[in-house]
Amino acid sequence: MADHVPALRLVARLVRYHDRIFWRTLIAAFFTLVFPLMFLVLFNLLFDDRVQAGPGAISVAQFFAPSLAVFAAATATYTNLGIGTAIARDQGVLKRIRGTPTPPWAYLTGRVWSAVWVALLATVLMMAVGVVAYDVDVDLERLPAALLTFAAGVAAFAVLGLALAALSPSGDAAPAIANATLLPLAFISNVFIPIEDPSRWLDVLATAFPLKHFVDAFQAAFNPFTTDLAFRWGNLAVMALWGVVGAAVALATFQWEPCGGERARLTRRRAGAGLGG
């Protein structure tokens, strides 16, 4: 047990380090925390008072607060983690880490747990605003299901974020890849639009990916028409499967050194700095 204490302290310090980087990157903090809240406010202004959800109609906030909380959590893990890791690789940060006493696994663990912490903060903030400002109902009996769904969802999307970083040809390409893969899924996964009767092909497409399962399972925990404890084991299994796939891709393709042209550009930059000195 004593051997694990220094490792845990090191990871905790790295989590705080990455947290500071996150809060200093105002654009990332805005799109993760504020941007989804803006949608919650807009949707409550633009849509009708009720949204069809399962057997009955619920308030707009009751529907969108959980779905936008999931979107914020996915942004914090998949998007932010993937982009940040790819950029750190291109800047040579990951390569330098391997030349320091800091274990590479601890550095990545700190990155992941920092992203999970931000995801938790974004989710709690979204639901708190929903409860205080829009009377979103929270059933304490279904909170364990919500917590389990959150844990499974952020774990899957954090691993997929590392896979995104591994597959991105450069840090500049990572934002485009992240947005091109997450945003279209958000529109067909009941995040921004409540789709009551989707086409068969659209439903199959959305169901094939983890975001809809994250949204459906998390919404079930806050839907007043849910009659059970809201543990959606099928949705959790799909998210777990995607986590396994993401882990396999990340382990097989992750690189600590800049890729191709980025490596050459970094070398030229260092050479220029040396000549300038």
Side-chain angles (χ1 to χ4, degrees):
M1 181 65 181
D3 294 338
H4 297 299
V5 173
L8 292 175
R9 289 175 179 171
L10 175 60
V11 170
R13 287 197 295 268
L14 288 168
V15 170
R16 290 194 296 269
Y17 166 73
H18 290 297
D19 279 345
R20 288 195 293 269
I21 292 176
F22 172 79
W23 291 111
R24 290 172 183 172
T25 310
L26 295 181
I27 190 67
F30 173 82
F31 277 102
T32 305
L33 300 173
V34 180
F35 193 61
L37 284 172
M38 291 172 56
F39 276 110
L40 180 63
V41 174
L42 287 173
F43 290 163
N44 275 276
L45 292 174
L46 296 175
F47 290 133
D48 295 333
D49 291 338
R50 313 293 288 181
V51 173
Q52 190 68 29
I58 62 177
S59 69
V60 170
Q62 194 75 41
F63 179 88
F64 281 112
S67 68
L68 290 171
V70 166
F71 180 72
T75 299
T77 47
Y78 177 72
T79 304
N80 291 357
L81 183 59
I83 294 173
T85 305
I87 291 175
R89 180 194 63 205
D90 285 359
Q91 292 175 341
V93 175
L94 299 188
K95 180 180 179 180
R96 291 196 295 272
I97 285 294
R98 299 187 72 182
T100 69
T102 300
W105 69 264
Y107 177 82
L108 276 186
T109 302
R111 267 190 175 275
V112 170
W113 276 107
S114 174
V116 170
W117 159 246
V118 173
L120 177 62
L121 178 62
T123 301
V124 171
L125 178 62
M126 177 65 69
M127 298 309 300
V129 171
V131 170
V132 173
Y134 299 107
D135 295 323
V136 170
D137 180 60
V138 176
D139 190 333
L140 295 180
E141 290 186 351
R142 294 196 291 269
L143 273 184
L147 293 174
L148 179 61
T149 300
F150 172 83
V154 296
F157 277 95
V159 173
L160 289 170
L162 293 179
L164 166 66
L167 294 176
S168 297
S170 68
D172 293 336
I177 296 174
N179 290 325
T181 50
L182 184 63
L183 286 178
L185 289 179
F187 279 98
I188 64 175
S189 300
N190 287 332
V191 173
F192 299 131
I193 301 173
I195 305 177
E196 297 180 11
D197 188 20
S199 302
R200 175 62 179 168
W201 70 269
L202 188 63
D203 185 55
V204 170
L205 180 63
T207 305
F209 293 95
L211 184 61
K212 187 175 190 300
H213 296 276
F214 195 178
V215 172
D216 287 351
F218 200 71
Q219 282 182 331
F222 297 97
N223 189 328
F225 291 101
T226 300
T227 57
D228 54 18
L229 294 179
F231 288 100
R232 298 296 180 257
W233 301 111
N235 298 127
L236 296 176
V238 173
M239 288 189 284
L241 178 60
W242 271 97
V244 172
V245 171
V249 171
L251 288 172
T253 61
F254 193 86
Q255 298 183 51
W256 290 84
E257 297 190 3
C259 304
E262 295 299 324
R263 186 186 299 117
R265 188 169 67 177
L266 184 61
T267 301
R268 288 195 300 269
R269 186 185 307 161
R270 289 175 176 172
L275 290 174

